[in-house]
Amino acid sequence: MTSPDSPTDPTWQPDPLAVTRSRIAEFTRQVEQRHRTNLPDYDALWQWSVDNLPEFWSEVWDFFEIRASAPAATVLDSMQMPGARWFTGAELNYVDNVFRSRDPQRAAIIEITEDGRTEELTWGELQRRVAAAATSFRRLGVQAGDRVAGYIPHGSAGIIAFLATASIGAVWSCCAPDYAADAAAKRLAQLEPVLLVACDGYSFNGRTFDRRDQATELTRLLPTVRNVVHIEHAGLGKPGYGRPSTAWEDVLAPPAAEPLAPLSVPFDHPLWVLFSSGTTGIPKGIVHGHGGITLDAQKNLGLQMDITADDRLFWYTSPNWMMWNFVANALLLGASIITYDGSPTFPEAGRLWDIAAQHDVTILGASPGYLQACERAGYEIPPVPRLRMVGATGSPVPPGAFAWLASQFGPDVPLVSMSGGTDICSALASGAANKPIWAGELPARALGMAVATWDPQGRPVTGEVGELVVTKPMPSMPLYLWNDPDGAKYHSAYFETFPGVWRHGDWATITDRGSVVIHGRSDATLNRFGVRLGSSDIYDVVERQPGIVESLIVGVEQSGGGYWMPLFVVLADGDELNDERRAQIASAIRAATSPRHVPDEIIAVPAIPHTRTGKKLEVPIKRILQGARPEDVVSRDAVDNPAALDTFTRLGRSVLNR
């Protein structure tokens, strides 16, 4: 069985000659020779990788020539989750692996701002700046194990500050300056940082936003911060932080800067702390290690995406999202990365494509929403001569986006959808140079990830919707959650539903060809008369209707056993939601998905609220419509448009009164 409504033909087929030259083909040959096995295709390699976890990850270590100062005594000490430990005894540093064997004259980072400013850093200059920043951080008292916090836009300074922090064994965490001070403090204050790297402002949609007051207030809310490093990113000047402060220019030019000499740390030494969205409470601090990220990132980018030092990666992101870390990880492969501070649609919808064309980008990454916005705007992509792949993540990619991109580029540039998350800072499902792509599907389960779909009784299912789970350990699993000394929060977050098995929180279908269809968060699945359907299946239908900008659907269990399933739509300017339009939408849903999932009501709203990384707030909206107080289910500072919540709050009161 394939995915629902799946086309019979793939939208992209691997080129046989390109496959033979790919990193994954080279890796497969290494495995076949060393282990005397035959692996004729991707699916065979995936099966071998999950059946032989220690051997697979040892091969990844050797293939990418991981630089370490001490070897591992044991690759994997047990299959227990949580609790499995990887590469015990090994010592290394993420930064040491970033700078190995780089051509000092080649571009490492190309920084672009919305107003058109561009700076290119070579590998030699990047290493010099990281060494200088590390020297300055040490002289400001930062030691191994200390936390350094960033309140930064997406630019080279943030990447340099992170690398400097990691090089001395300190722990990095950051958020973008579009967070208010209170929202940033809810995350960063948990870590008790000793150093804050802050900026004066950022640009977006043709405006410069002055964040000096917020940076000053954040400093006040971080009482453990002893020093502030100030980045004058927007040219607004330096505020009075109320703590000793140093200009970024001085950090990069310390007297007698020391050579870069990354500190060797154990494999599971903390590298960074990422935070959950915080939509339902205080954001969880998710701690990842030097070794797990160094190893998994090279597998994920090097084998799944075939990234090499010849690539230029431009993935539109923000320091609020794990894709910022994903972009930084491309440096481990020697690739050049593009950073961009600004709106993806200013001054026009095609801003990202223009950047890709101007800077010889080979891989462009964006959200599915951005691709849909370009399609709706009728945008024609300019020639991007070196582009070989478009990536998308953050939410399910509708099949229509595959067709639109194919109409722009033909069969030579695949659209590769990926799914994973902040929890593992990696992908559970992705693409590969030797795996075909079908519209609306993620090509394959990622190597070394024992991904399956289970029914509620914990039985594996194929060809039907189930809980996305991982049945064996992963190197990039969190080391622990911050302020969770007994591991109770960690266990509750991932292992409570199926003991000993990672429950990822997504509904998915694994097809008989090994591809994956993501249907949305499992706690937001529509369960009508016992028939489950992912919300993304509804969105794919509704958001193709003329005049519909965006939609949100929830299934609301009510007291007395009732079940109310409303669909909310945002209309294009000048459009009207009348009975005829409602009937058209209902008919489209009935024909394309299921008669049981025709909504009970279709309601026009001014806007749909999202997390700051663009995910629709399905579960909080569902709970508000069940009568919960908004402040009990969602933190307004974690929402991209807090005012959008007010409409649903009023609707919730109205529903209760009915």
Side-chain angles (χ1 to χ4, degrees), residues 439-454:
E441 300 179 10
L442 291 74
R445 288 172 281 185
L447 298 173
M449 304 296 203
V451 174
T453 44
W454 282 12

Side-chain angles (χ1 to χ4, degrees), residues 84-162:
R85 295 188 63 203
W86 291 90
F87 291 87
T88 51
E91 293 190 357
L92 74 169
N93 190 291
Y94 175 102
V95 178
D96 201 24
N97 285 276
V98 165
F99 286 105
R100 60 187 174 179
S101 305
R102 305 301 178 218
D103 181 346
Q105 303 304 317
R106 295 192 69 172
I109 301 177
I110 299 153
E111 178 177 7
I112 303 168
T113 58
E114 192 179 75
D115 62 7
R117 287 180 291 139
T118 301
E119 181 184 21
E120 181 174 306
L121 295 185
T122 64
W123 277 101
E125 179 61 16
L126 177 62
Q127 182 166 345
R128 187 199 70 75
R129 293 190 189 189
V130 171
T135 298
S136 295
F137 286 4
R138 280 193 295 265
R139 292 175 183 174
L140 290 171
V142 180
Q143 301 178 23
D146 286 342
R147 276 75 66 199
V148 175
Y151 189 61
I152 54 166
H154 189 26
S156 62
I159 302 289
I160 292 165
F162 153 59

Side-chain angles (χ1 to χ4, degrees), residues 350-401:
R351 177 67 168 139
L352 301 188
W353 304 106
D354 290 341
I355 291 173
Q358 293 164 11
H359 295 280
D360 290 331
V361 166
T362 60
I363 300 173
L364 172 66
S367 69
Y370 176 75
L371 300 179
Q372 289 176 290
C374 289
E375 180 182 7
R376 283 195 295 265
Y379 183 75
E380 292 190 11
I381 301 174
V384 188
R386 292 194 63 210
L387 190 70
R388 65 174 181 84
M389 180 191 300
V390 175
T393 191
S395 61
V397 181

Side-chain angles (χ1 to χ4, degrees), residues 149 184-185 188-190 193 196 217-225 243:
L188 303 176
Q190 298 181 48
L196 174 66
E217 175 63 7
L218 176 59
T219 306
R220 187 187 69 80
L221 294 172
L222 300 177
T224 56
V225 165
R243 308 275 167 84

